[in-house]
Amino acid sequence: MNKVIFSPLYELINEGQNLCISLYDVFESNIFRDIDMTLIKGRIPLWIVDAGISPESGLGKVELERLISFNSNEITHKILYGYDCETLVATLQHRLSALKDLICHFFKYISPNSQYEDKDYERGVRHMGEQATVCFTFLNSIFITLGSMFDILTKIAIELENISKDKIDFSKYPKFKSSCKLYGQKYLVNPKIFGDTIFDEPSIIRQAITIRDEIIHNGSWDYKLAIYGGFKGDDYEEWIMMPDFENSGTFVSYKNRKRFYSKGDKMNVNLIPILIQIVEITNNTISKLNTFYKIEDTPKKYDINSFSKEIKNWIVSFSKFIETNEYKA
């Protein structure tokens, strides 16, 4: 695999993952504005951290509801919500990591290079076997992953906006304001975040969404799942055809027909440049969220001593829960 081709993209993906680290801090500083969480973090029990979020916890819904009812106070609700917000950021990081892995696997089966134009080939072939199925599976996963990233970023932006405007009610364990919201609801994002972000929906982002929607709702943009090959002397190249797009990023279409290939574009050749543009815009979006919602450090009004009763009850309530056989490990 030619590292020169992939290095710029991989560097951008790594940059995006690093930008996500600052997002964790942005959420924490907005949720716990006047609370020093330094020592409190080490006292938080795993049932608050993992239950209903991770397979690391075996607690069920009923058990979690009971434990929260035993610990119905603002600091507990904030911490529960804080870990929920962390899952959004972690999921975004994991999608970026998955994107890198999917690209690597996809190009094990087909080359990102092409040195000839269609008119140069002396003869051609088409095959639809295992290689084609595997290639399209990874390719489909790449665009589904991109769509997920856009959805998650939309949720993060909506959530941060509501936190910053004090619209989250911590007198109870709050539900996400971004619950059930997807990229299509980006109008709920603060307009000041717009400008060279995914929320402006530049044509390259719309193109990725168009492909993702076609995969999810109609199976694929190529119902044959075909790889094409061309011979030029002793040389042989393979490619996957890429459909024609309007300047807006939607498919060129006519009535029921929306898979035109008049431009002769090749998806495996164009994929890396496409992804570079998308990840650059994604990184700029994360960076803007970090900057816009950053809160400068100020003296904290509360610390671990302010919540000694609540912290003690986290452990006591869970211990009683186990002793009374209301929870079975």
Side-chain angles (χ1 to χ4, degrees), residues 27-278:
F27 268 112
E28 181 176 321
S29 62
N30 275 271
I31 296 169
F32 306 101
R33 295 177 199 174
D34 55 357
I35 302 173
D36 183 354
M37 292 296 294
T38 307
L39 297 178
I40 296 175
K41 287 179 181 179
R43 305 293 198 280
I44 300 172
L46 291 179
W47 69 262
I48 289 180
V49 178
D50 290 324
I53 291 177
S54 165
E56 298 295 317
S57 172
L59 282 174
K61 174 187 173 183
V62 173
E63 288 88 357
L64 180 60
E65 286 177 337
R66 293 293 298 277
L67 282 166
I68 292 176
S69 70
F70 296 155
N71 295 273
S72 184
N73 53 73
E74 185 170 303
I75 185 64
T76 303
H77 298 154
K78 282 190 172 185
I79 293 171
L80 284 161
Y81 175 78
Y83 277 107
D84 293 342
C85 292
E86 279 197 11
T87 63
L88 290 177
V89 181
T91 303
L92 178 59
Q93 279 185 304
H94 294 155
R95 292 301 82 205
L96 284 163
S97 178
L99 184 62
K100 186 189 292 186
D101 292 336
L102 289 166
I103 294 162
C104 180
H105 286 296
F106 174 69
F107 285 112
K108 286 180 180 178
Y109 292 88
I110 193 166
S111 172
N113 301 307
S114 178
Q115 57 180 323
Y116 299 112
E117 296 182 17
D118 290 351
K119 62 182 178 61
D120 298 325
Y121 298 122
E122 296 164 357
R123 59 190 179 93
V125 294
R126 182 190 70 195
H127 52 93
M128 299 178 288
E130 181 180 351
Q131 179 193 2
T133 300
V134 171
C135 279
F136 272 91
T137 298
F138 284 124
L139 196 53
N140 290 350
S141 295
I142 286 170
F143 284 99
I144 291 171
T145 295
L146 292 174
S148 296
M149 286 165 48
F150 305 152
D151 289 338
I152 295 164
L153 272 169
T154 304
K155 291 176 183 291
I156 288 172
I158 293 171
E159 218 57 44
L160 281 171
E161 178 64 13
N162 280 275
I163 300 169
S164 69
K165 296 293 176 61
D166 293 321
K167 293 183 179 180
I168 308 296
D169 180 9
F170 290 111
S171 66
K172 57 186 177 181
Y173 173 33
K175 186 175 180 179
F176 276 152
K177 295 292 186 180
S178 62
S179 180
C180 300
K181 303 297 189 296
L182 300 173
Y183 181 66
Q185 282 80 47
K186 56 186 176 293
Y187 55 83
L188 295 171
V189 174
N190 190 320
K192 293 181 180 179
I193 302 298
F194 285 53
D196 195 25
T197 69
I198 66 165
F199 304 122
D200 302 282
E201 199 172 300
S203 60
I204 195 69
I205 299 296
R206 171 41 53 191
Q207 190 176 110
I209 291 293
T210 298
I211 294 173
R212 190 274 299 263
D213 290 348
E214 188 70 8
I215 292 165
I216 291 175
H217 301 301
N218 297 307
S220 179
W221 68 82
D222 181 357
Y223 74 96
K224 292 181 179 179
L225 301 183
I227 290 179
Y228 298 87
F231 292 89
K232 172 69 173 177
D234 294 330
D235 293 335
Y236 173 68
E237 293 183 344
E238 292 180 325
W239 64 88
I240 293 173
M241 293 302 299
M242 180 177 176
D244 297 346
F245 285 90
E246 302 282 5
N247 291 335
S248 63
T250 58
F251 288 134
V252 172
S253 62
Y254 174 69
K255 296 186 182 296
N256 303 322
R257 307 295 176 103
K258 54 183 177 181
R259 298 182 180 96
F260 294 95
Y261 298 91
S262 65
K263 297 178 182 179
D265 291 334
K266 300 172 181 177
M267 178 59 80
N268 50 306
V269 175
N270 290 319
L271 184 61
I272 296 299
I274 288 171
L275 292 176
I276 285 175
Q277 292 182 68
I278 290 173

